[in-house]
Structures are given as structure tokens and as C-alpha cells.
Amino acid sequence: MAKTPITDLAGFAGEHLEYEVQMFLTARNKLFKSAPQRSPDPDEAFNRNLLIESCVLHFRNLVDFFYPPSPTQPDDVTAADYVPGWGSPSVPTILKDARTRANKELAHLTLKRKAGAPPDKAWDFADLSNAMTSIIEDFITRVDVSNLPPPTKTVLQRIGGVVKVTGGAVFKTSSF
């Protein structure tokens, strides 16, 4: 099938790409500030799970934007729609594994879901955020500025630059 053309790249980025980034950032930042992972309070546990699921979903959408899975659908919007010659950059293992895990643990009921509370069940959103830094920098450097509204560029830049400290995370502004 032929690729569906986008008539307003800046409008799409300003509404939809920016939304994905904002939702990821807001959920991630609330998680960094929230109570410990296991809470005896059912409401706190529920709210934490909502944040984790939101974070995972929007993160996966961003990974798919920058590293589209194959095959894509004609109506999928990816970085290649914004940057001629974007190609298919190699997905870093940490992001590839996170996308697979999101597909298995969030989007489907499968036997690949992790039972109980093993150490590898926690999502390391600081490391995942930092793993996105180089592809975001490459995108921002190569995209035509008329197709990327300044607020969208600003929120994209806020994904990386997370410094982990005991008990949470501290944010540094990225330098790109």
C-alpha cells in the first residue's frame, strides 16, 4: 500500500508528537516523585500502575516514531516523514527490549508477563530516557525547523539528561 501523505507536518507534530512526549514526561516525572514501588494502600498502588502504564505506552509510541517497526502501515507517522533520508537507524538494545516488553506486558495478555516482583520487573525510565537522547538530537538537527514547532522541540529535548540518584532522579537540561 502507498504511504498516506501528511499535509501539515508542523500541525501533526504540535498536536500528536508533542502529546506523546508530554504524556511520557509527565507520567515519568510523577513516578520519580511517587511513593516506593510497592504500597499497601490500594489507591496508591493503582495510581502508580496507571503512571507506569501511561509511561510505557507513550514511550513505546516514541520509540516507534524514531525506530519504526517493519512493516509500517500506510497511515503510520514516523521520523522519516519529517526527515528525508531518515532510513532505518539501528535500534539500541535497551530500546528494542523495552519495545518488545511493552508489547508483551502492556498490549497483550501473554505468558511473557513477569509474575510477582522480580528485580527486572521494574522499568528504568531514567535509562530509557537517556537512551533516546542521541536519536532525538539527530532528529532535531536534521528536521526542517518549519515542521517542528518550538514547543515540540523543547519537550523532546526534556526527555534525556536524566541523572539517577538514590531514591529517585534529578533532571539536567540536555545540551542539544
Side-chain angles (χ1 to χ4, degrees), residues 162-176:
V162 180
V163 178
K164 291 193 295 185
V165 295
T166 305
V170 176
F171 305 98
K172 282 176 50 176
T173 305
S174 298
S175 60
F176 56 93

Side-chain angles (χ1 to χ4, degrees), residues 4-71:
T4 305
I6 303 172
T7 56
D8 182 9
L9 288 167
F12 188 93
E15 181 175 357
H16 302 292
L17 179 58
E18 189 172 326
Y19 173 80
E20 294 299 327
V21 177
Q22 286 285 19
M23 289 298 291
F24 170 70
L25 288 172
T26 301
R28 180 196 72 182
N29 296 350
K30 285 182 179 287
L31 278 168
F32 286 155
K33 295 175 185 174
S34 70
Q37 204 163 346
R38 289 274 179 195
S39 173
D41 179 347
D43 287 336
E44 281 183 27
F46 177 78
N47 288 335
R48 184 168 179 81
N49 285 340
L50 281 175
L51 289 173
I52 290 169
E53 289 183 11
S54 179
C55 204
V56 169
L57 172 69
H58 296 288
F59 182 78
R60 183 187 66 173
N61 289 346
L62 291 170
V63 171
D64 285 352
F65 176 79
F66 291 111
Y67 303 99
S70 184

Side-chain angles (χ1 to χ4, degrees), residues 106-119:
L106 183 65
H108 306 284
L109 280 172
T110 74
L111 297 175
K112 298 287 185 178
R113 287 191 173 194
K114 298 179 189 300

Side-chain angles (χ1 to χ4, degrees), residues 62-124:
L62 291 170
V63 171
D64 285 352
F65 176 79
F66 291 111
Y67 303 99
S70 184
T72 59
Q73 299 300 311
D75 58 348
D76 287 349
V77 177
T78 70
D81 292 305
Y82 286 82
V83 178
W86 182 256
S88 295
S90 179
V91 185
T93 302
I94 186 174
L95 299 178
K96 185 177 182 180
D97 291 349
R99 174 171 40 205
T100 300
R101 185 174 170 205
N103 289 340
K104 294 294 183 181
E105 294 182 26
L106 183 65
H108 306 284
L109 280 172
T110 74
L111 297 175
K112 298 287 185 178
R113 287 191 173 194
K114 298 179 189 300
D120 66 340
K121 188 170 183 174
W123 288 87
D124 190 336

